[in-house]
């Protein structure tokens, strides 16, 4: 790594119209990526009927997608450092388009699983690519706000999957609905390739940006991935980021990605419009809470875990226990309260990236971010898989056999993940404070 030239260092001084056009295309691609990611959320029952799949198999669709997404985070970071956002994001959009076309035409479970693998691989390239564009095209001090804005707008993709996609599927056919998303993927691959540029023209090379100081450095050497991972993980702040992202969002991800609609309709007995309204509340509340939690994170950087992350986990646990313990179907107000509680997990998980940025130098920031991002999706795939297995073990593995009691027991499998993750957050928070000199070391 060598210091950037003065012209490079000043490139982030302002964001012109071209920067906003590039961000708009990038964030629109991210909206479509979220739509692809959650495309089974509103049609889980339809998928089970189409493929004659039990609950464990239905879980596998989401698990392999999340596993591929999480596993690709660090490789994608390396590719972004080497080639820039434009080619990596373009390939990601193409992979998602191929995946949805495969899903549209899939005659069997095996082919459908392959489709989800392609979706996960393509999805993994989009959000990190947009983050890189923000770092290069916008002032460093504006980056945290732009990241929050990207997350808020991107969540609109969940609403697209929840309402228009489900309506199109029920009005036409499986092939037409998923083929249409594939067509949008091709369109956005073209838009990304034509309109996005890796860096401003005044920069002669790709750079990494430290958003805390605004310092810009030109990347002049390839990254030793193994060394970068070990160095990032060695810092307790990275481990704190990993466990924060592991523990905060997985319940909401499992709910929105697969099990929310089946639970609300087949378990709680709600109509599809009523269930969609609850799931939509989850999305909207997350979009509202995000900026508030982001601003609080900026104001109380040394209390993020204690004041924001751990309370959001506790609220989710309490809400789920209340729904599970309620005698008979839960009232609507309690289900809406559950949606609000789960919606806090997403914004709280974004604080993990503040930890990763704060405690890692610029040259390994992408690696630390990849490690952090993988944590949330590891927990989500474990939660989704355990819920499906728990339903199967109770003999409630198909839409015809779903019951409220079976769902109650299945959702209890999330509790160990909350407990384990929270314990590690407490431990790594203490180690991080000692590491940076805020607390004295413990006596043996």
């Amino acid at each position: 790594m060598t210091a950037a030239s003065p012209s490079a260092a000043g490139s982030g001084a302002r964001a012109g119209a071209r920067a906003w056009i590039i961000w708009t295309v990038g964030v629109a691609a991210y909206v479509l990526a979220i739509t692809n990611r959650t495309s089974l959320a509103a049609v889980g029952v339809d998928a089970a009927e189409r493929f004659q799949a039990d609950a464990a198999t239905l879980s596998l669709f989401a698990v392999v997608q999340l596993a591929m997404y999480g596993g690709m985070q660090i490789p994608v970071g390396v590719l972004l450092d080497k080639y820039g956002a434009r080619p990596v994001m373009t390939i990601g959009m193409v992979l998602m388009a191929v995946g949805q076309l495969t899903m549209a035409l899939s005659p069997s479970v095996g082919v459908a699983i392959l489709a989800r693998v392609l979706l996960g691989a393509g999805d993994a390239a989009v959000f990190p690519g947009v983050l890189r564009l923000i770092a290069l095209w916008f002032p460093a001090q504006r980056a945290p706000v732009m990241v929050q804005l990207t997350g808020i707008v991107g969540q609109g993709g969940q609403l697209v999957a929840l309402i228009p996609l489900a309506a199109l599927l029920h009005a036409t056919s499986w092939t037409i609905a998923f083929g249409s998303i594939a067509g949008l993927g091709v369109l956005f691959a073209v838009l990304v390739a034509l309109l996005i540029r890796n860096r401003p023209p005044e920069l002669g090379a790709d750079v990494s940006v430290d958003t805390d100081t605004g310092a810009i450095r030109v990347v002049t050497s390839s990254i030793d991935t193994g060394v970068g991972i070990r160095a990032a993980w060695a810092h307790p702040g990275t481990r704190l980021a990993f466990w924060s992202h592991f523990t905060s969002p997985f319940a909401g991800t499992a709910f929105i990605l697969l099990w929310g609609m089946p639970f609300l309709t087949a378990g709680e007995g709600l109509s599809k419009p009523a269930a969609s309204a609850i799931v939509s509340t989850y999305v909207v509340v997350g979009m509202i809470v995000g900026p508030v939690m982001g601003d609080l994170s900026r104001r109380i950087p040394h209390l993020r875990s204690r004041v924001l992350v751990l309370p959001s986990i506790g609220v989710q646990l309490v809400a789920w226990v209340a729904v599970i313990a309620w005698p008979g179907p839960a009232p609507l107000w309690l289900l809406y309260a559950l949606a609000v509680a789960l919606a806090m997990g997403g914004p709280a998980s974004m604080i993990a990236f503040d930890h990763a940025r704060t405690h890692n130098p610029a040259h390994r920031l992408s690696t630390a971010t990849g490690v952090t991002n993988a944590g949330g999706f590891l927990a989500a795939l474990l939660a989704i898989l355990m819920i499906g297995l728990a339903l199967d073990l109770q003999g409630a593995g198909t839409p015809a056999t779903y019951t409220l009691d079976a769902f109650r027991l299945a959702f209890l499998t999330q509790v160990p993940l909350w407990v384990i993750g929270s314990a590690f957050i407490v431990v790594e928070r203490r180690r991080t404070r000692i590491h940076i000199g805020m607390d004295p070391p413990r006596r043996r």
Side-chain angles (χ1 to χ4, degrees):
M1 304 282 289
T2 60
S5 64
S7 61
S11 64
R14 61 184 182 277
R18 189 176 187 184
W20 283 102
I21 292 172
I22 288 173
W23 177 81
T24 300
V25 174
V27 81
Y30 180 49
V31 170
L32 182 58
I34 295 290
T35 301
N36 280 297
R37 185 188 306 172
T38 57
S39 56
L40 282 184
V43 298
V45 174
D46 300 86
E49 293 173 350
R50 175 179 174 85
F51 298 108
Q52 298 297 302
D54 58 18
T57 303
L58 198 60
S59 296
L60 192 59
F61 287 153
V63 166
V64 296
Q65 178 182 343
L66 291 177
M68 179 58 67
Y69 182 99
M72 287 295 294
Q73 286 303 302
I74 295 174
V76 162
V78 174
L79 291 172
L80 285 169
D81 284 334
K82 187 172 184 179
Y83 298 109
R86 178 185 175 188
V88 175
M89 290 180 65
T90 300
I91 293 172
M93 300 308 298
V94 171
L95 285 174
M96 283 190 288
V98 173
Q100 288 293 31
L101 182 61
T102 304
M103 196 71 181
L105 303 175
S106 57
S108 64
V109 169
V111 176
I113 289 175
L114 173 62
R116 305 310 290 183
V117 169
L118 293 171
L119 283 174
D123 185 11
V126 179
F127 184 59
V130 178
L131 294 185
R132 185 175 183 83
L133 292 172
I134 289 172
L136 294 177
W137 284 92
F138 288 87
Q141 291 75 15
R142 193 184 296 178
V145 176
M146 295 301 299
V147 171
Q148 287 287 345
L149 184 59
T150 299
I152 292 170
V153 177
Q155 296 314 303
Q158 296 181 3
L159 296 177
V160 175
L162 182 65
I163 301 173
L165 175 61
L168 179 62
L169 172 61
H170 297 141
T172 55
S173 67
W174 179 277
T175 301
I176 292 176
F178 283 88
S180 299
I181 303 180
L184 287 175
V186 173
L187 172 62
F188 273 91
V190 173
L191 290 176
V192 168
L194 291 179
L195 298 179
I196 284 182
R197 293 294 180 269
N198 287 344
R199 56 184 179 270
E202 61 268 23
L203 291 183
D206 281 338
V207 300
S208 63
V209 182
D210 186 333
T211 55
D212 284 337
T213 65
I216 301 176
R217 294 181 180 273
V218 178
V219 177
T220 58
S221 62
S222 61
I223 296 174
D224 186 328
T225 305
V227 172
I229 295 173
R230 288 194 297 272
W233 186 255
H235 197 297
T238 303
R239 300 196 296 271
L240 174 61
F242 174 89
W243 288 109
S244 298
H245 201 258
F246 179 96
T247 317
S248 302
F250 74 82
T253 302
F255 189 84
I256 194 70
L257 199 62
L258 187 60
W259 290 119
M261 288 296 288
F263 166 69
L264 294 172
T265 55
E268 292 288 346
L270 299 182
S271 65
K272 286 188 176 180
S276 297
I278 292 173
V279 177
S280 299
T281 299
Y282 164 86
V283 178
V284 173
V285 170
M287 297 170 71
I288 295 173
V289 171
V292 177
M293 200 166 287
D295 186 60
L296 289 174
S297 176
R298 179 181 63 83
R299 293 174 182 272
I300 51 173
H302 301 303
L303 296 174
R304 294 164 177 165
S305 299
R306 180 180 292 179
V307 176
L308 299 175
V309 177
L310 289 172
S312 77
I313 296 167
V315 168
Q316 294 177 70
L317 175 59
V318 169
W320 257 127
V321 170
V323 171
I324 291 170
W326 193 272
L332 273 177
W333 67 265
L334 184 55
L335 294 176
Y336 275 101
L338 174 65
V340 172
L342 294 178
M344 296 178 64
S349 72
M350 297 297 287
I351 294 171
F353 297 107
D354 292 335
H355 289 310
R357 187 183 71 250
T358 300
H359 299 297
N360 285 275
H363 68 270
R364 70 166 186 251
L365 182 57
S366 294
T367 301
T369 299
V371 170
T372 301
N373 206 17
F377 290 92
L378 172 61
L381 71 87
L382 288 174
I384 290 170
L385 183 58
M386 289 191 300
I387 291 169
L389 289 174
L391 289 171
D392 274 348
L393 290 174
Q394 297 174 81
T398 62
T401 57
Y402 288 158
T403 66
L404 180 56
D405 288 338
F407 272 116
R408 284 170 168 167
L409 289 177
F411 281 115
L412 280 176
T413 60
Q414 300 175 110
V415 174
L417 296 176
W418 278 314
V419 173
I420 293 171
S422 297
F424 275 107
I425 289 173
V426 172
V427 169
E428 297 300 346
R429 178 181 186 271
R430 173 66 175 168
R431 290 175 175 172
T432 301
R433 291 176 66 86
I434 293 173
H435 186 85
I436 62 178
M438 293 190 65
D439 290 338
R442 290 184 176 182
R443 292 182 178 181
R444 291 187 179 276

